[in-house]
Amino acid sequence: MKVIAATKNKGKIREMQEILAPLDIGIVSQQELGFDVDAEETGDTFVKNALIKARAVAMVCDYPILADDSGICVEALGGATDEDRINKLLTELGDNENRRAKFVTSVAFIMPDGTEITAEGEVKGTITKEPKGENGFGYDPIFLSDELGKTFAESSDEEKNSISHRGRALKNLYDKLKKMN
């Protein structure tokens, strides 16, 4: 099945492709098909923003659409969004002992008939005091996964995708899609 990713983030597209490839779901970016849709993320939750993005792309094409919204939630800061930069986050945390955090992803899938399905995933960890590793993107260099014992940026794509918030959200979505057939 060919699915259009409602994102321009190449890192997210790569992760979606890698995670969904074994399930016979091929991810194609909206740009590859000539769509250049930007949706204003006005929702107050990750799932609402994922739906906003998916609906915007669904309005201009007749393919299944997949969108996500994700961010990092930091206990000591009452939650930080992915709009913040790593350095700002590290500065805000300072020497705070509570560095617990979680990555959260909500995905929205819209079928050509308008059926909407959402799913979520999360992974827990801590924020390091300095970036470590060269892989990944976004907050990966400062997110130390409880399960892997290293930052996402120190992990291989396979390791990260096996436990990541996006991987879990996409697997949850896949399970929902399978139950519909």
Side-chain angles (χ1 to χ4, degrees), residues 1 10 20 25 33 37 88 90 94 98 104 114-115 128 153 157 160 172 176:
M1 171 189 332
K10 291 179 183 179
L20 295 176
I25 296 174
L33 294 180
V37 179
K88 179 175 177 20
L90 292 176
N98 181 3
V104 177
T115 301
T128 61
D157 289 344
K160 178 186 172 187
N172 290 339
K176 288 181 178 186

Side-chain angles (χ1 to χ4, degrees), residues 63 114 148 169 178:
Y63 289 95
L148 297 176
K178 268 179 65 172

Side-chain angles (χ1 to χ4, degrees), residues 35-134:
F35 302 113
D36 189 18
V37 179
D38 277 318
E40 188 174 344
E41 298 176 38
T42 56
D44 58 1
T45 65
F46 294 125
V47 73
K48 287 179 184 176
N49 282 331
L51 281 165
I52 287 168
K53 292 186 257 188
R55 289 172 181 155
V57 175
M59 290 177 63
V60 298
C61 68
D62 292 324
Y63 289 95
I65 308 299
L66 176 63
D68 88 325
D69 192 46
S70 56
I72 193 165
C73 303
V74 181
E75 284 183 11
L77 301 180
T81 68
D82 56 0
E83 294 173 9
D84 295 319
R85 303 313 256 170
I86 288 174
N87 290 334
K88 179 175 177 20
L89 179 58
L90 292 176
T91 300
E92 290 287 324
L93 273 176
D95 291 329
N96 193 311
E97 292 298 315
N98 181 3
R99 301 183 82 79
R100 296 297 302 154
K102 65 181 177 179
F103 264 127
V104 177
T105 293
S106 293
V107 293
F109 187 84
I110 300 180
M111 296 183 192
D113 69 2
T115 301
E116 296 180 347
I117 303 165
T118 61
E120 291 189 327
E122 71 176 51
V123 62
K124 295 182 179 182
T126 56
I127 302 299
T128 61
K129 293 198 176 191
E130 61 186 37
K132 296 178 184 175
E134 302 296 323

